[in-house]
Amino acid sequence: MTVLVTGGAGYIGSITTRLLVERGFGVVVLDSLELGHRAAVNDVPLVVGNIADSDLVTRVCREHKVSDVVHFAAYKAVGESMQNPTKYFDNNVAGTHSLIAAVVSAGVENVVFSSTAAIYGDPDIVPVTEDAEVRCESVYAATKRMTEQILEWYSATRNLRSVSLRYFNAAGAASDGTLGEDWRYSQNLVPHVMKALLGFAPALKVFGNDYSTPDGTGIRDYIHVEDLAESHVAALQYLRGGGDTMICNVGTGVGTSVMDIISTTERVTGRAVPYDIAPRRAGDPARYFANASKAERVLGWTSRRLLDDIIASAFAWHSAHPHGHAASQA
Ligand code: UD1
């Protein structure tokens, strides 16, 4: 029994792949290497190719006796998805559908899917539960919701069960400092804080300090990427144990503002974060964070790491790898 990890050479995918191997799962990675890095996969079997290549996926499933899929491979830049929707619908929806159809035909019964809390848009009530209204405000979020629906329909019609994990804000790096995010491909807060802190950008732009939050800056639920990785293992075990198709939030339940991130970074690293207050970023909600009780109840998963761990691991990773994995390949 082997787990096929698509996008296993990317940020969250590589950290989850390593955890799966550590936990004794057989793993094969499928990654186009367009945004992922060979160095992030180490000695795990890597097939370089596209999720939409049905013949390739079928062959990989047969040759590696694939029983489960953990599906990360997707584009994730919200702004880009609005400028180039075709790219996002093609890859994230059509490509994912090809993948699902091929793996179902090959006898795969379990899929763990990377969904997103962006599906909730600007929720009326926080902490947000899984039954909150779906309010996609970007093509990116819509592609994730469409995939959840495709998976639900395959459950209704074929022998496939799935867990769609709605991630809140993934952040931090592997605690040994060897795997992390490449800030060149990220629009997210923590990599940008580190870029400014380490002198690779003049200053962090704080997108708005006039929100209706205690300090005026946006509030999010930052989840350590290693905790996030553990939720995939828990979801896989749940499915292998016969669990039904479901959707599940993966967050900490704690709301943290941009100013909290800056002050925590300054305390943990002992360095000042240069920042400027900038206008709000279009489409940014004031605040959301997870009600993560379903993950605890159904998967037996809770986040264990703290914001300090997120910042310390991100600092260690970015200090040593300012050019992402390119540095470790050089
Ligand atoms: C973003 C996406 C979301 C996606 C997630 C993970 C949007 C609107 N949402 O979430 O769909 O699932 O990334 O890829 O793009 N901030 C700054 N300065 C920065 C960067 C961010 O002040 O340079 C602030 C933002 O305004 C926000 C918070 O930091 O309040 C977090 O931003 P970010 O890390 O980009 O995540 P989200 O916007 O929550």
Side-chain angles (χ1 to χ4, degrees), residues 24 96 314:
T96 294

Side-chain angles (χ1 to χ4, degrees), residues 105-142:
S105 296
V108 167
E109 294 182 4
N110 305 322
V111 174
V112 180
F113 169 58
S114 306
S115 190
T116 174
I119 279 172
Y120 300 121
D122 198 351
D124 292 332
I125 299 166
V126 286
V128 60
T129 51
E130 290 83 356
D131 55 9
E133 195 185 322
V134 170
R135 291 181 183 164
C136 297
E137 288 174 2
S138 66
V139 170
Y140 163 73

Side-chain angles (χ1 to χ4, degrees), residues 76-79 115-119 138 140-141 167-170 181 187-193 204-208 211 217-220 222 258 280-286 288:
K76 64 159 197 171
V78 172
S115 190
T116 174
I119 279 172
S138 66
Y140 163 73
Y167 305 166
F168 283 67
N169 289 57
E181 192 170 13
Q187 307 301 319
N188 297 126
L189 178 62
V190 173
H192 280 267
V193 168
L204 172 74
K205 284 188 169 51
V206 173
F207 295 140
Y211 286 102
T217 64
I219 290 180
R220 297 290 184 274
Y222 296 91
V258 176
R280 292 183 181 191
R281 184 171 65 180
D284 270 357
Y288 61 83

Side-chain angles (χ1 to χ4, degrees), residues 5-8 11-14 16 69-76 92 96 99-100 111-119 140-148 151 162-168 170 228-229 231-232 235 246-248 250:
V5 181
T6 72
Y11 167 48
I12 306 170
S14 63
T16 303
V69 174
V70 181
H71 177 39
F72 293 99
Y75 295 127
K76 64 159 197 171
N92 293 12
T96 294
L99 171 80
I100 294 168
V111 174
V112 180
F113 169 58
S114 306
S115 190
T116 174
I119 279 172
Y140 163 73
T143 65
K144 293 292 184 172
R145 178 59 191 148
M146 288 175 190
T147 301
E148 290 183 355
L151 286 167
S162 63
V163 175
S164 292
L165 296 173
R166 289 184 176 167
Y167 305 166
F168 283 67
L228 194 53
S231 72
H232 295 77
M246 68 153 181
I247 288 169
C248 196
V250 189

